[in-house]
Amino acid sequence: MKEIIKQVFTDRFEGKPVIVRSPGRVNLIGEHTDYNEGFVLPASIDKAIYFAIAPNRDNVFRFYSYDLMDEYVTEIDKIEPCDKHWANYLLGVIAQFVKDGKQVMGFDCAFGGDIPIGAGLSSSAAIECGLAYAIDKMQKFGYSTMEMVKISQKAEHEYAGVMCGIMDQFAVMHGQINKAIKLDCRSLEYELLPVKMENYKLLLVNTGVKHSLASSEYNKRRNECAAGVKILKKYNSSIQSLRDVSLDFIQKHKAEFDEIVYDRCTYVIEENIRLDAACEALNNGDFTAFGNQMYLSHRGLKEKYEVSCVELDLLVDIAKKTRGVLGARMMGGGFGGCTINLVKKNAVANFKNTILAQYKTPEGKEPEIYEVVIDGGTGLA
Ligand code: GLA
């Protein structure tokens, strides 16, 4: 892919480009906990977007999307959200550099890769982090990776309108081969946990449902969690987020909660507990225990947080009944996208066949199944 994007650049533009690779991510467990200052366990993967970028002398930003075969051009002093959906992720990044007082020079950029779009693998974070990294390298600004993570997250907030947490951008930027990132989304301290996959595989199954509902429902979930925190804060002013709340404490105040808000909040508290159990299992090499936490996570997302959908539920149900599958859950924001499945290596073929025999996308097609490997984060390619 790197060579293709380099060639696409050379065919269309001039100059010697900086080449950057920026991967997608999976999340093993810890869903919808990041914006509640809890814990997540993502990892960057071997599906990525490549950028080729070099300055031009035309005072314009010129983007060419190889996958969409589409171009977007704008003058360097006209950075604002536009009608072209995909371009906003890129413009949003430039806007953050500008806000930070930097003069971003006109450039040409070709990009493309193999991260499926709208599948919950954070293709948008890969784009944001990749461009932030590429601009930083091209202009030698010297931003830290953490600063670029924040630039990318703000781009998503301001130009895509999704008030996402920090997990995706963090994982895309800081991922390492064969390591999961246990990230404390409050302090942003993290631990890299080895994932010894000799006997197991991670497989993603794409429902074929694009999670377009996700942004409005996502922002709604954030507000519901904030409403819960507001109630509990009355009883303990040191509570800043659901991270600070124990199950005992919320149970004591159940009567004051609207049922939905109560379910949302208990889901988040329980998911943090599950993540701890899952990390312990991972450290002990106990993949069966790890897989159980994945199933429990899915049940919480389905029943209490209500961000699943029938297609995701069906895929998890099939997985549960299939030999050699240790765990399965929906992944990412929800309402579509992929399930993540932990499967014994010797059962992979059977898993794929079972899924293909028992599940069809809403359009009646065979679902895409991706075997993913945990690979490095955003960097020069
Ligand atoms: C999306 C967001 C993340 C996170 C997940 C749910 O991927 O971008 O910040 O909240 O949903 O865990």
Side-chain angles (χ1 to χ4, degrees):
M1 199 68 208
K2 174 184 165 188
E3 293 312 317
I4 296 177
I5 296 303
K6 216 167 150 182
Q7 190 60 48
V8 170
F9 180 94
T10 317
D11 291 347
R12 303 181 73 89
F13 307 125
E14 278 168 16
K16 189 173 178 308
V18 171
I19 311 280
V20 168
R21 171 189 175 275
S22 194
R25 65 103 188 87
V26 290
N27 186 23
L28 301 179
I29 195 163
E31 220 63 89
H32 289 275
T33 45
D34 60 352
Y35 53 84
N36 289 301
E37 299 191 333
F39 291 83
V40 291
L41 194 65
S44 49
I45 56 173
D46 60 344
K47 291 195 172 293
I49 296 176
Y50 286 85
F51 287 82
I53 170 172
N56 61 36
R57 293 166 197 279
D58 311 333
N59 287 328
V60 296
F61 299 120
R62 224 180 258 121
F63 293 105
Y64 180 71
S65 161
Y66 170 69
D67 302 315
L68 302 174
M69 292 197 291
D70 196 10
E71 188 175 75
Y72 185 78
V73 185
T74 184
E75 286 165 36
I76 60 170
D77 53 359
K78 295 226 173 77
I79 292 301
E80 56 196 13
C82 70
D83 294 341
K84 208 178 266 299
H85 182 71
W86 64 262
N88 282 322
Y89 297 101
L90 301 158
L91 298 174
V93 169
I94 299 176
Q96 297 309 318
F97 281 111
V98 174
K99 265 196 184 170
D100 201 32
K102 295 285 185 284
Q103 199 162 13
V104 182
M105 56 172 91
F107 61 75
D108 298 323
C109 170
F111 70 100
D114 60 359
I115 309 176
I117 294 172
L121 302 191
S122 289
S123 56
S124 60
I127 287 185
E128 292 148 1
C129 292
L131 184 67
Y133 196 95
I135 292 176
D136 181 73
K137 283 288 163 288
M138 180 180 71
Q139 295 208 220
K140 303 192 171 60
F141 285 149
Y143 279 86
S144 69
T145 49
M146 200 55 231
E147 286 168 327
M148 290 189 277
V149 165
K150 292 199 169 150
I151 283 176
S152 303
Q153 185 193 19
K154 283 208 187 116
E156 183 96 19
H157 288 184
E158 294 174 15
Y159 275 61
V162 180
M163 295 306 291
C164 64
I166 202 151
M167 168 172 73
D168 302 345
Q169 291 79 7
F170 193 96
V172 163
M173 193 67 93
H174 291 106
Q176 287 191 22
I177 297 177
N178 291 336
K179 301 272 167 57
I181 307 171
K182 182 183 181 192
L183 172 66
D184 177 336
C185 298
R186 169 175 280 169
S187 67
L188 300 181
E189 280 167 12
Y190 66 102
E191 215 182 311
L192 292 168
L193 306 186
V195 185
K196 301 194 185 80
M197 296 294 289
E198 290 84 5
N199 300 317
Y200 306 94
K201 287 266 177 200
L202 287 173
L203 284 111
L204 309 178
V205 183
N206 195 340
T207 53
V209 180
K210 292 240 158 98
H211 54 182
S212 54
L213 237 185
S215 57
S216 59
E217 287 296 322
Y218 187 91
N219 295 345
K220 210 157 133 193
R221 294 298 178 282
R222 271 194 94 129
N223 294 335
E224 287 161 348
C225 292
V229 170
K230 202 167 157 207
I231 295 171
L232 295 169
K233 218 179 160 74
K234 287 191 290 188
Y235 301 97
N236 179 347
S237 58
S238 71
I239 292 175
Q240 297 299 321
S241 69
L242 292 174
R243 156 74 172 273
D244 302 315
V245 181
S246 69
L247 272 181
D248 276 355
F249 191 76
I250 194 169
Q251 276 158 4
K252 260 193 221 133
H253 297 286
K254 183 170 182 187
E256 290 171 60
F257 275 76
D258 154 310
E259 205 180 318
I260 290 186
V261 171
Y262 186 77
D263 278 353
R264 306 293 193 246
C265 294
T266 47
Y267 160 78
V268 172
I269 299 167
E270 286 163 356
E271 183 75 350
N272 279 318
I273 297 171
R274 283 190 285 267
L275 183 137
D276 257 344
C279 287
E280 201 188 318
L282 195 60
N283 286 332
N284 295 334
D286 186 346
F287 284 84
T288 306
F290 193 96
N292 281 334
Q293 296 303 326
M294 293 173 76
Y295 284 131
L296 293 171
S297 167
H298 183 78
R299 189 199 282 174
L301 288 157
K302 174 186 170 189
E303 293 173 1
K304 292 192 172 177
Y305 218 64
E306 294 185 287
V307 290
S308 188
C309 62
V310 286
E311 293 83 357
L312 287 165
D313 295 342
L314 177 57
L315 282 173
V316 170
D317 285 344
I318 298 171
K320 219 179 238 170
K321 290 184 203 130
T322 304
R323 177 178 57 78
V325 180
L326 300 183
R329 52 185 286 277
M330 57 148 273
M331 192 178 73
F335 301 103
C338 290
T339 58
I340 177 167
N341 303 267
L342 178 61
V343 184
K344 281 191 184 151
K345 217 178 195 167
N346 59 16
V348 166
N350 176 55
F351 173 75
K352 288 185 181 168
N353 290 337
T354 309
I355 294 286
L356 294 178
Q358 298 186 24
Y359 180 84
K360 293 277 174 290
T361 70
E363 280 116 47
K365 296 202 184 118
E366 286 195 339
E368 285 175 8
I369 303 177
Y370 321 108
E371 253 182 74
V372 291
V373 172
I374 299 179
D375 205 343
T378 306
L380 290 174

